[in-house]
Amino acid sequence: MNYISLYRKWRSQNFDEIVGQQHIVRTLKNAISMKRLAHAYLFTGPRGTGKTSLARILAKALNCKKGMTPFLCGKCDSCEKITIGSAIDVIEIDAASNRGIDEIRDLREKIRYMPVEGRYKIYIIDEVHMLTQEAFNALLKTLEEPPEHVVFVLATTEPNRVPVTISSRCQRLDFQRIPLAEIKTHLMKISKEEKVTVDDKALDLIARAGEGSMRDSVSLLDQLISFAGNKIDSDQVAMLLGGVGEEMLFNMSKAISANDMNGVVSSLREAIDAGRSASQIVADLIVFYRNLLLVKLNASEALELSQDYLERLTLEAKSYNVNRIKEILKALSKTGLDMKWHAQARILLEVALLELLEEKCACPPKPEGRRRETKSEERLPSAEPIVATATDGRMMKIKKHWKEVLDYVKKKSLFGYVSLHEGHPIEINDTNQLVINFKKGFAFHKERLEEQNNKIVVESAIKEVVGEEILITCRVGDAGQNNVLPVQVVAEIFK
Ligand SMILES: [Zn+2]
């Protein structure tokens, strides 16, 4: 037997099976009972909300052998043909596939012929906004003088792209996203009939992932059955969706609220290791903090969250105040945008997360009497010829203690630390500055480290650890070979 997708198998076949859209179902049922049909309907709304299903049900109701009725039989010759898509009088045109030029021309030629089998000819034009101007013009002509035996159903996800000349001649019915609870109930029914066990959390995730589209949710369930067999849990759903699991999000949030840098870095790494992209993590964190904000503002009802998840969020929300959550959301949104233009999305995210912590860290004190000019002669009293060696000796010392410099910076500025971590000290240049080199693609860190606050922290760290005041300068490029080598050589000698 050929495989039939779950969505097709469980597609609504009559008005009572339609999930959601009760206002539309009522309007159409009344129109049929009272024989007050419009010549043309415009069905608008998001994908997967039942527009095409309802158009076919309308067609069945109009042509059912039992008579024109909202209670179509579903069994007669006409109903069955419409179900399997072989009814001559029901013409479906997909405007998205070839923009409808030939079909609309054909429609104009044949529209005046009477229906062959039923009472009405029903034209269902899907994604009608995709028609060409020429096709729209042809359609308009038929809508201006529609024959009595014709009903049009124009469906679109983008009603504002349908010309007003067309939409003004239709009765418009707006389909809404299907509420989460109704999708969930429907999924539960399908999985029961299909003898598949899906735990409640998984059902919730599947329903939520559809974002109001029944088709998307049912297709996801279908994929999960192929992927996981007849027992599905929330981990499998999270894996298939590529989303960041609930645990990871809570771990990350806990680390952020506790200003725990290691926790942030390790939970981020865990998510990346589990195959999540940086942009997915940001997107999921934004949803997480948005939920947290609404919980905090006692406005969580709109979220349609499951009870235990809501309780968990409520508990988590206690670690935050409203302003902090807003700040975090702002920063994450900005990071999400920045990441689109940045090759090092992961690093950008890491920095952004650490920056969220930094706000609570003590700012490093500005060193007093900070001098932009380094009086090299004070520390290098020797004559010209041995300056180079002395510089190499200092460089060696810096390299030797670099880890300590990093640790010092880490305590003062997490942000400075993350950027400095990507750079390498390579030489002391002619103007007695320590050159920190960043590899190509790390210009972002170079720029951030050059910011005055961060520079001061690094320079005071060097002073603290190495015992000398050395200013830093940053650059991007391949590490300077001519300077790295001598230091290593000197290091070898002093070993
Ligand atoms: Zn029938």
Side-chain angles (χ1 to χ4, degrees):
M1 203 178 105
N2 286 337
Y3 173 74
I4 303 169
S5 73
L6 276 190
Y7 180 70
R8 274 181 60 202
K9 191 169 167 188
W10 292 98
R11 186 169 206 159
S12 316
Q13 300 299 348
N14 59 51
F15 285 113
D16 295 334
E17 285 177 16
I18 286 282
V19 181
Q21 325 303 358
Q22 291 314 305
H23 59 299
I24 295 173
V25 168
R26 196 178 317 125
T27 305
L28 291 176
K29 276 175 145 181
N30 285 343
I32 295 161
S33 324
M34 297 161 77
K35 304 213 169 6
R36 290 173 62 91
L37 283 177
H39 279 294
Y41 290 94
L42 180 63
F43 287 3
T44 73
R47 50 182 257 111
T49 50
K51 298 187 293 294
T52 323
S53 297
L54 209 45
R56 289 182 188 159
I57 292 169
L58 175 64
K60 282 189 217 175
L62 298 183
N63 281 352
C64 181
K65 298 284 187 209
K66 257 177 69 180
M68 190 171 134
T69 168
F71 309 100
L72 52 110
C73 77
K75 292 178 192 126
C76 71
D77 193 41
S78 169
C79 285
E80 278 191 344
K81 279 186 176 167
I82 295 172
T83 300
I84 59 171
S86 68
I88 297 170
D89 296 323
V90 180
I91 301 106
E92 290 195 34
I93 298 170
D94 177 16
S97 62
N98 56 6
R99 314 216 50 199
I101 301 170
D102 294 339
E103 280 89 345
I104 301 291
R105 197 173 294 142
D106 194 53
L107 178 152
R108 282 194 67 193
E109 281 166 19
K110 293 181 184 160
I111 199 161
R112 55 204 165 85
Y113 299 130
M114 293 302 285
V116 180
E117 299 168 329
R119 290 171 210 92
Y120 285 91
K121 274 174 121 165
I122 298 107
Y123 285 91
I124 302 170
I125 308 181
D126 204 13
E127 296 298 358
V128 67
H129 62 273
M130 296 290 284
L131 288 182
T132 59
Q133 195 55 49
E134 190 193 349
F136 270 130
N137 291 340
L139 180 62
L140 185 59
K141 290 257 159 51
T142 63
L143 285 178
E144 279 169 341
E145 296 168 35
E148 279 301 314
H149 59 267
V150 171
V151 172
F152 279 100
V153 179
L154 312 179
T156 181
T157 48
E158 295 180 53
N160 39 3
R161 286 176 61 192
V162 178
V164 179
T165 46
I166 302 281
S167 57
S168 63
R169 286 179 167 79
C170 302
Q171 183 180 345
R172 177 169 164 164
L173 295 171
D174 292 329
F175 286 61
Q176 310 294 331
R177 288 184 194 282
I178 303 167
L180 186 70
E182 291 187 36
I183 293 190
K184 214 173 147 181
T185 309
H186 192 62
L187 291 174
M188 230 183 282
K189 183 180 148 198
I190 295 177
S191 45
K192 198 175 164 197
E193 295 281 339
E194 294 287 325
K195 299 192 169 44
V196 177
T197 318
V198 189
D199 72 34
D200 192 62
K201 220 178 209 175
L203 271 180
D204 202 70
L205 284 175
I206 302 167
R208 208 173 284 280
E211 293 182 339
S213 161
M214 184 63 88
R215 178 164 57 218
D216 287 357
S217 283
V218 174
S219 303
L220 180 61
L221 177 64
D222 209 353
Q223 284 181 56
L224 276 159
I225 296 172
S226 321
F227 168 75
N230 55 8
K231 212 167 181 312
I232 295 164
D233 61 37
S234 58
D235 282 348
Q236 290 160 332
V237 184
M239 202 181 288
L240 198 74
L241 287 176
V244 181
E246 193 178 312
E247 286 313 312
M248 283 183 200
L249 287 170
F250 274 98
N251 286 345
M252 225 172 263
S253 164
K254 282 204 169 59
I256 291 170
S257 66
N259 286 304
D260 168 10
M261 186 187 71
N262 289 327
V264 168
V265 174
S266 67
S267 57
L268 180 63
R269 190 188 306 125
E270 193 191 331
I272 299 265
D273 288 349
R276 308 294 175 259
S277 69
S279 55
Q280 179 73 56
I281 296 170
V282 171
D284 286 357
L285 276 173
I286 289 174
V287 173
F288 178 88
Y289 277 104
R290 181 272 228 140
N291 291 351
L292 209 60
L293 182 64
L294 291 181
V295 167
K296 197 84 192 166
L297 297 172
N298 294 320
S300 58
E301 247 167 62
L303 294 176
E304 303 183 304
L305 299 170
S306 69
Q307 196 51 39
D308 63 329
Y309 189 70
L310 189 63
E311 280 167 18
R312 229 180 144 187
L313 268 185
T314 310
L315 201 66
E316 188 65 20
K318 290 190 174 137
S319 318
Y320 291 91
N321 63 41
V322 171
N323 281 339
R324 178 115 199 253
I325 301 176
K326 284 182 183 166
E327 295 278 315
I328 292 173
L329 275 170
K330 248 187 253 167
L332 288 171
S333 309
K334 186 179 175 302
T335 309
L337 286 176
D338 290 351
M339 265 163 42
K340 294 202 172 103
W341 313 104
H342 204 277
Q344 303 283 344
R346 178 193 169 161
I347 295 168
L348 200 67
L349 174 58
E350 197 168 75
V351 170
L353 290 177
L354 292 178
E355 254 185 329
L356 293 175
L357 312 189
E358 199 174 33
E359 284 167 22
K360 287 207 168 175
C361 291
C363 264
K366 289 193 179 185
E368 274 179 51
R370 181 182 153 78
R371 294 165 300 174
R372 291 311 308 182
E373 302 267 327
T374 313
K375 292 182 184 167
S376 53
E377 64 278 8
E378 280 177 14
R379 289 182 301 272
L380 296 170
S382 334
E384 239 348 75
I386 52 165
V387 165
T389 313
T391 305
D392 286 340
R394 289 160 73 206
M395 196 56 221
M396 189 186 66
K397 201 166 160 190
I398 289 169
K399 287 208 157 196
K400 191 176 165 197
H401 295 287
W402 194 244
K403 170 88 176 50
E404 289 156 65
V405 172
L406 279 168
D407 287 343
Y408 183 93
V409 173
K410 190 169 165 181
K411 279 184 220 142
K412 300 281 183 186
S413 160
L414 297 169
F415 176 72
Y417 168 73
V418 170
S419 287
L420 186 63
H421 198 268
E422 300 299 338
H424 298 278
I426 54 161
E427 64 169 320
I428 290 173
N429 66 12
D430 302 342
T431 54
N432 237 328
Q433 289 176 315
L434 172 66
V435 178
I436 296 174
N437 188 75
F438 290 84
K439 276 191 266 177
K440 277 182 192 155
F442 287 75
F444 170 79
H445 289 292
K446 178 217 169 227
E447 282 157 27
R448 302 306 288 262
L449 198 63
E450 278 172 341
E451 283 171 15
Q452 197 63 2
N453 283 347
N454 293 315
K455 232 175 149 176
I456 291 171
V457 174
V458 176
E459 287 166 358
S460 51
I462 294 171
K463 190 177 178 190
E464 184 73 24
V465 174
V466 184
E468 282 186 59
E469 189 166 323
I470 303 172
L471 303 184
I472 60 162
T473 182
C474 305
R475 74 173 195 208
V476 172
D478 298 324
Q481 288 87 359
N482 38 352
N483 289 296
V484 174
L485 199 58
V487 173
Q488 287 163 343
V489 173
V490 174
E492 281 301 314
I493 297 166
F494 281 84
K495 210 157 76 176

